[in-house]
Structures are given as structure tokens and as C-alpha cells.
Amino acid sequence: MLKFQIKMMEDKSKFLDRLTDQEKQLDSSGKEGRKDEFLEKTIPFTCKLCELSEMVHYHGRKPKFVKNLVEFNEDAYLMIDPFSARETRFGNNFLQVGGDCSHCGAAVCVDCSIFYTRRFCLTCSEFYSSEFPTDVQTRIQKLGQGRKDMDK
Ligand SMILES: [Zn+2]
Ligand SMILES: [Zn+2]
């Protein structure tokens, strides 16, 4: 699912590149330059479990580009959707790719982790499964099952 979303964003991004080239010819005021700089992906992210690997825009708790959000309660890896970002001038159009497991510290994607007060990678959450409430345990089991299905 996540990989599909990222693929879609990459396609949009290519579309955006073409659009930007056209606009550069029309608009020489330099306004676009600042945006492009902002949208540069500078942080490498690799999921410890599924090895999903992406360059992301931001790692941390207080992204400036997210409107009306005081703080994430974890260090999140975020990608900005370049297409909708243009339309809303950096509204809430971002995709959280992953976070850091609060137990082992590994970077994991949202598909390989759960968030229950803090983020836990699937390995740690399965290990400490009995510590979580029943509904969270069910989510952990489903995630684990999904991964095993993928490996087949
Ligand atoms: Zn993963
Ligand atoms: Zn962990």
C-alpha cells in the first residue's frame, strides 16, 4: 500500500517537473526557486524490516510545512506530496513514510510498525505483544500475518 502511494507521488512529481519547466519560461520572478529548494529530499530512510528505501523531506517532530500542527509525538519521516503542496502552499499534504521504533531505535515504515502511545517496530511489538491492550494485539497479529503473506 505504502509503496503504491510513493509510486503515485513520484509520478506526480515527474508531472510537476514538466509543469515547472513550462512555468519557468513564463514566470521569471524567481518565486518558484524557493519552493523547489524546499521540496528537495535530503534525508535517506530505509525500513529495517521490509527494506523500503526512500529519500524523504523531513525527519523530526515539528515540520514547518504542516499547518496547524504543534508537534508530532514521535520523530516522523515525512514526504511532501509535491503536487498538492503546490496547490495549497504547504498545507497538510504529506505522507508519513515511517518513524523510529521507541524500543530498539530502528527506522521502520508505517506498514511494519504500530503506533500505540509510541511507535514500535513489528519485531518489538510482537515480542512485547502481551503488554498491549487486546485491540492493539489484534493489529500486531494482522500486521505480522500480512508480512508473512508477502514473503510467500
Ligand atoms: Zn517496512
Ligand atoms: Zn523495535
Side-chain angles (χ1 to χ4, degrees), residues 48-49 100-106 108 119-125:
K48 184 190 85 166
L49 295 177
D100 294 324
C101 173
S102 60
H103 187 76
C104 69
V108 280
R119 183 163 301 280
F120 295 92
C121 74
L122 196 57
T123 314
C124 292
S125 60

Side-chain angles (χ1 to χ4, degrees), residues 11 31 95 125:
D11 288 348
K31 272 185 292 184
L95 174 70
S125 60

Side-chain angles (χ1 to χ4, degrees), residues 58-63 69-76 78:
Y58 183 83
H59 178 221
R61 288 167 186 251
K62 288 185 176 178
L69 184 89
V70 184
E71 198 174 318
F72 272 83
N73 43 14
E74 63 171 326
D75 286 326
L78 302 177

Side-chain angles (χ1 to χ4, degrees), residues 105-120:
V108 280
C109 76
V110 290
D111 288 342
C112 298
S113 58
I114 60 149
F115 191 85
Y116 176 71
T117 67
R118 290 176 294 165
R119 183 163 301 280
F120 295 92

